[in-house]
Amino acid sequence: MKHPIKIMQIGDGNFIRGFFDLAVEKLQVPCSIVSVAATARGKTVKQLEEQQLQFTVMERGLKNGEVVEEETTVKVIQDTIHPYVNWHSFLQYAQSETLEMIVSNTTEAGIYYENIPYPTACPTSYAAKLTVFLEQYFNHFQGEKQLAIVPLELIEQNGSTLKIICLQHAKDWNLPTAFNEWLATLTFCNTLVDRIVTGYPQDYHGEDALYTVCEPYFLFVIDQKEPFKHWPTNNDLPFVFDDLDMYRKRKVAILNGSHILLSAFGKVFQYTTVRDAFSNTGVRAFIEKVTHDFTKRFQVDEHYQQDVFERFLNPFIEHQLYDIQLNELSKWQTRIAPYAETEIYYQALALGIYAMNPRRFSMRESDQIIEILTEIHNHFEQGQTEPMQQFIEQHFQCDATKVIQQLSTIHRLLEEIACDN
């Protein structure tokens, strides 16, 4: 039995299929989805149509210490649209009596503003597409119906940001005041999504061109419950309706913070993957101290820390430290430095600075940053600490003296960690 199409999703990549579509399927939500290509390439639209709008997701990894491998055939998509080929078909859905929600995953680069004329064909910008669609929806139903907007893009305050851009487009295009007022009342959810979706596996030899692999871990945090109040619940697929701040803070500090620490240890001890580095006993012990310090100070449930560590050991995911090392200075600034108020965090930040020495280790940074880091490390090794102090104060806004104390004895710390293995 086919359910009515209640959800339009903008974007059809691996993540939205292995996260949102799979959740709708497994929760048995009584609705179907129309999937809209987010880019002009539209490759997935064709593949979905060739596969009768079905695909398989494999959840593979560790869960409570046990290996999990579970396949699910996802059948919730009932229609597809390539708006760059058929803009009219996209806008026709603005007359849908059953549509309730628009979900998107257009990547972090998808939610942006550009001042463009009112589109007569499909614009590149997601916000521009959405604004035109909502105007058509408003006109057809004369403002008597509403839609919930649920972006999955990994930017802070994604819903609020998207709403501001849509309102700006409405202003740029001199759309009627009544529409602007209606648009301002729509629910734009802020969300945080957490699941690693690796996509099409190299070891798969079946016929499903959209076969997708993801880890078992799943978390979907949403700041407004109203759009989901009638959805079924499942402890394995937690939809959490709460303030996002603590969830975002703990993810950045514990998951992403551990990642950047592991990338530094990878340089020092010559590891290439998250799992290999975290399997080093001394490295793991140090990261446990850092994350325990964070959970204690900010009263975070320690179960999250254990979940993260289990994810690091997933035998089916080869998470390359090389990828994490891209633009690493900004990652130390956001993931470690804001919490540098205790000795273990001063040690962690010192480790990061040590690993950002272009004379010792390769770096994936701009030439300007590499030049700055080379110079301050040269001065530091010659006994001149003032440039390092200024650098730490400028980039990390913490007690530079205490970080420098740890940096001065970093070799001793690294020897202790190596001996613990």
Side-chain angles (χ1 to χ4, degrees):
M1 174 183 174
K2 291 185 177 180
H3 296 293
I5 293 177
K6 296 183 180 181
I7 301 170
M8 171 181 282
Q9 69 177 36
I10 313 293
D12 49 20
N14 290 324
F15 183 81
I16 200 166
R17 288 186 285 109
F19 183 83
F20 187 80
D21 294 352
L22 179 63
V24 174
E25 181 72 44
K26 294 186 74 173
L27 289 172
Q28 296 185 323
V29 183
C31 67
S32 295
I33 296 172
V34 53
S35 183
V36 179
T39 65
R41 194 170 65 148
K43 178 181 177 182
T44 305
V45 168
K46 183 178 179 181
Q47 290 172 324
L48 279 167
E49 291 170 351
E50 289 173 349
Q51 297 185 184
Q52 290 74 52
L53 307 180
Q54 298 181 21
F55 58 91
T56 303
V57 176
M58 164 69 86
E59 295 171 275
R60 187 162 69 174
L62 296 177
K63 191 169 186 177
N64 300 322
E66 301 291 331
V67 173
V68 172
E69 292 188 89
E70 179 183 327
E71 280 189 343
T72 303
T73 301
V74 179
K75 306 176 182 178
V76 295
I77 295 175
Q78 192 175 316
D79 194 9
T80 59
I81 302 173
H82 191 333
Y84 295 85
V85 173
N86 198 331
W87 179 233
H88 177 69
S89 291
F90 172 68
L91 295 182
Q92 270 193 317
Y93 261 94
Q95 300 179 21
S96 168
E97 294 281 351
T98 60
L99 198 64
E100 297 177 357
M101 181 184 297
I102 298 178
V103 179
S104 65
N105 185 44
T106 58
T107 78
E108 293 90 315
I111 297 181
Y112 65 94
Y113 169 75
E114 60 176 346
N115 191 346
I116 60 173
Y118 184 88
T120 55
C122 184
T124 302
S125 158
Y126 166 47
K129 289 187 194 69
L130 179 60
T131 306
V132 175
F133 184 89
L134 292 175
E135 181 213 12
Q136 298 280 322
Y137 187 87
F138 171 83
N139 290 339
H140 181 76
F141 293 105
Q142 299 181 333
E144 296 296 322
K145 294 188 70 172
Q146 292 204 334
L147 294 172
I149 313 301
V150 186
L152 308 183
E153 288 82 359
L154 289 172
I155 64 170
E156 197 165 347
Q157 298 293 306
N158 48 15
S160 298
T161 302
L162 180 59
K163 186 172 191 175
I164 289 168
I165 297 172
C166 289
L167 287 166
Q168 184 60 50
H169 280 311
K171 181 179 178 182
D172 293 343
W173 301 335
N174 295 314
L175 299 181
T177 301
F179 169 71
N180 293 352
E181 292 174 348
W182 174 84
L183 178 59
T185 67
L186 290 191
T187 297
F188 280 70
C189 296
N190 292 306
T191 69
L192 183 146
V193 296
D194 195 356
R195 165 170 269 191
I196 296 171
V197 179
T198 54
Y200 192 88
Q202 292 183 342
D203 60 351
Y204 176 71
H205 302 293
E207 297 180 357
D208 186 347
L210 296 174
Y211 193 89
T212 302
V213 175
C214 62
E215 64 175 342
Y217 183 86
F218 178 101
L219 179 65
F220 191 11
V221 188
I222 312 155
D223 69 349
Q224 299 180 67
K225 187 174 184 177
E226 182 68 20
F228 300 91
K229 65 182 180 181
H230 298 304
W231 283 44
T233 58
N234 183 319
N235 291 335
D236 292 332
L237 295 166
F239 282 52
V240 178
F241 302 99
D242 202 348
D243 181 9
L244 271 63
D245 288 348
M246 178 48 70
Y247 291 92
R248 187 177 299 282
K249 183 183 287 185
R250 76 176 191 180
K251 178 178 182 288
V252 169
I254 296 177
L255 176 67
N256 305 123
S258 295
H259 274 158
I260 196 62
L261 280 166
L262 287 167
S263 79
F265 284 121
K267 289 184 181 184
V268 174
F269 298 127
Q270 298 183 334
Y271 291 113
T272 58
T273 70
V274 166
R275 184 177 63 254
D276 288 344
F278 193 67
S279 296
N280 177 306
T281 305
V283 168
R284 175 167 180 161
F286 182 83
I287 288 176
E288 285 179 340
K289 289 177 185 177
V290 174
T291 55
H292 180 70
D293 179 82
F294 175 86
T295 58
K296 185 177 179 181
R297 280 195 283 149
F298 294 95
Q299 300 180 325
V300 173
D301 184 354
E302 290 190 9
H303 288 299
Y304 179 74
Q305 174 184 317
Q306 297 308 315
D307 286 342
V308 166
F309 292 167
E310 188 171 60
R311 296 165 73 186
F312 290 165
L313 297 173
N314 187 335
F316 302 106
I317 292 180
E318 299 296 328
H319 194 164
Q320 299 296 315
L321 295 173
Y322 179 79
D323 295 334
I324 298 170
Q325 289 159 3
L326 178 65
N327 300 326
E328 60 188 296
L329 174 58
S330 66
K331 293 173 182 175
W332 289 99
Q333 287 175 310
T334 57
R335 303 176 182 187
I336 300 295
Y339 315 111
E341 298 174 359
T342 56
E343 183 180 18
I344 189 68
Y345 261 94
Y346 292 134
Q347 289 179 338
L349 193 52
L351 171 67
I353 294 170
Y354 175 76
M356 287 187 289
N357 182 346
R359 297 177 70 240
R360 289 179 179 270
F361 307 107
S362 63
M363 292 199 64
R364 303 181 68 195
E365 291 281 3
S366 67
D367 291 342
Q368 181 183 13
I369 289 177
I370 289 175
E371 184 178 340
I372 292 170
L373 286 166
T374 301
E375 184 176 355
I376 65 165
H377 277 287
N378 281 340
H379 285 304
F380 189 73
E381 291 174 7
Q382 293 168 12
Q384 301 172 34
T385 60
E386 188 174 341
M388 180 66 77
Q389 176 136 356
Q390 292 174 348
F391 175 81
I392 293 170
E393 289 173 350
Q394 177 186 351
H395 291 275
F396 302 122
Q397 289 87 49
C398 64
D399 191 328
T401 301
K402 292 186 176 179
V403 178
I404 288 173
Q405 286 173 353
Q406 298 296 336
L407 188 59
S408 300
T409 59
I410 195 71
H411 291 287
R412 186 190 311 161
L413 173 66
L414 293 171
E415 286 172 4
E416 291 173 358
I417 291 171
C419 288
D420 285 342
N421 193 37

